[in-house]
Amino acid sequence: HLPILEKVLLSAEADSLILTASDLETIIRYRVAVLVKEEGAVVLAPFQVERNKRVDIVTEGRRVHIVQDAYNADLAGMDAKDFPPTPKVEGSSVEIEGLPDALDKTIFAATKDDSRPALTGVLFEATGGTLSLAASDGFRGSIVRLPSPGDFRAIIPASGLSKLRRLKIDHVGFVFDGYQVRFTLPNADVTISLIEASYPDFKQYFSKDSKTEAAVDAEAFRQALRAVRIENRSWLKVTRLTTEGNSIRLSTKDEEKG
């Protein structure tokens, strides 16, 4: 782990202040309109200032002076040249409609088990005019289909997509080059390195030939799930669903109690 990754790169360019944070896998660049008297860059530890109030930032070498009303701070910075560079992602940007909702419905299903790297990501598979987003931890799975802006296939880390989702992403541009992907937003861009692995055939889990199909009230189903989870707090947390006529029965068993 590089200590500089705990800090933020501040770059004053033209009429913008660009803040860059990175964990090497995901790089977020956020642009703020400011009055720039002299261009420059420095790496600083995160600091807080009040919203919607003027902030003056003055650098002298690696020393940074910050003023906001009665607040004054002198901080020690690091050389901007030591901050990991943002890789270029070449290609044309296309917009993906409905991406925020699709991420909400898939990210949660990805595993956090690094021994299965492919399943720590969300599969983006675009073909025949349809973009499928699929995620699974081996026990549960989720798939969402959207209109496709083109044909491509990529496994994007769920951790990076979670960071992207924290931003306001009503309109998202998408650039993919086979090694990383860049999501472009009105005031930011997020670059994520892709997972190089083979993703399991997710379509077998969502076969249209399923023998049992049911439609249930979402809120009633959530309440029933919460009830059985309270009863069973073991690490397995296995819940069995059984159809009984026009109803679904949820049951669980705590392996410690028997």
Side-chain angles (χ1 to χ4, degrees):
H1 180 70
L2 301 176
I4 200 169
L5 296 181
E6 298 176 359
K7 304 180 186 298
V8 178
L9 172 64
L10 279 68
S11 306
E13 303 175 6
D15 58 355
S16 298
L17 177 66
I18 303 174
L19 294 85
T20 305
S22 171
D23 62 5
L24 296 184
E25 178 186 86
T26 303
I27 302 171
I28 299 176
R29 288 163 37 94
Y30 196 91
R31 292 175 293 279
V32 181
V34 298
L35 174 62
V36 177
K37 294 184 177 179
E38 184 177 349
E39 294 188 350
V42 68
V43 178
L44 284 179
F47 60 91
Q48 290 186 337
V49 292
E50 292 188 51
R51 291 175 177 268
N52 303 319
K53 286 190 176 183
R54 172 172 170 162
V55 180
D56 292 313
I57 302 176
V58 180
T59 61
E60 296 180 6
R62 296 183 184 178
R63 301 297 303 182
V64 181
H65 186 57
I66 300 172
V67 179
Q68 184 182 63
D69 293 339
Y71 172 79
N72 285 268
D74 284 297
L75 305 177
M78 298 179 66
D79 196 326
K81 296 179 181 178
D82 296 329
F83 199 84
T86 301
K88 293 183 179 180
V89 184
E90 304 292 345
S92 300
S93 179
V94 295
E95 186 168 328
I96 301 178
E97 298 181 5
L99 182 62
D101 183 58
L103 292 179
D104 289 341
K105 292 177 179 178
T106 51
I107 290 175
F108 75 92
T111 186
K112 293 180 174 60
D113 183 359
D114 291 333
S115 67
R116 297 180 293 173
L119 296 184
T120 62
V122 176
L123 174 66
F124 281 56
E125 184 178 77
T127 181
T130 300
L131 170 61
S132 299
L133 278 68
S136 174
D137 60 4
F139 296 95
R140 61 183 178 180
S142 178
I143 184 171
V144 177
R145 294 183 174 87
L146 302 172
S148 171
D151 291 351
F152 60 89
R153 181 182 174 93
I155 305 174
I156 305 177
S159 57
L161 293 173
S162 294
K163 296 180 178 72
L164 169 69
R165 190 62 189 95
R166 294 172 194 164
L167 303 174
K168 185 178 180 180
I169 56 174
D170 293 338
H171 301 283
V172 187
F174 179 89
V175 181
F176 164 74
D177 70 359
Y179 299 97
Q180 53 259 323
V181 59
R182 185 179 75 240
F183 294 94
T184 56
L185 315 176
N187 294 314
D189 56 75
V190 180
T191 303
I192 308 175
S193 297
L194 302 180
I195 297 174
E196 297 183 23
S198 177
Y199 203 87
D201 181 12
F202 67 93
K203 295 177 183 177
Q204 63 179 319
Y205 301 112
F206 302 97
S207 172
K208 295 182 179 180
D209 298 328
S210 300
K211 296 181 180 180
T212 304
E213 192 173 311
V216 298
D217 180 86
E219 183 56 33
F221 191 64
R222 278 194 290 267
Q223 291 179 4
L225 283 174
R226 281 195 288 267
V228 296
R229 285 174 180 171
I230 291 173
E231 179 63 26
N232 183 1
R233 296 181 180 274
S234 72
W235 70 274
L236 288 174
K237 295 184 180 179
V238 175
T239 301
R240 182 183 298 275
L241 278 68
T242 308
T243 56
E244 299 178 347
N246 293 325
S247 63
I248 296 178
R249 181 172 180 266
L250 281 70
S251 60
T252 186
K253 179 179 179 181
D254 190 326
E255 298 298 331
E256 295 179 356
K257 296 179 181 179

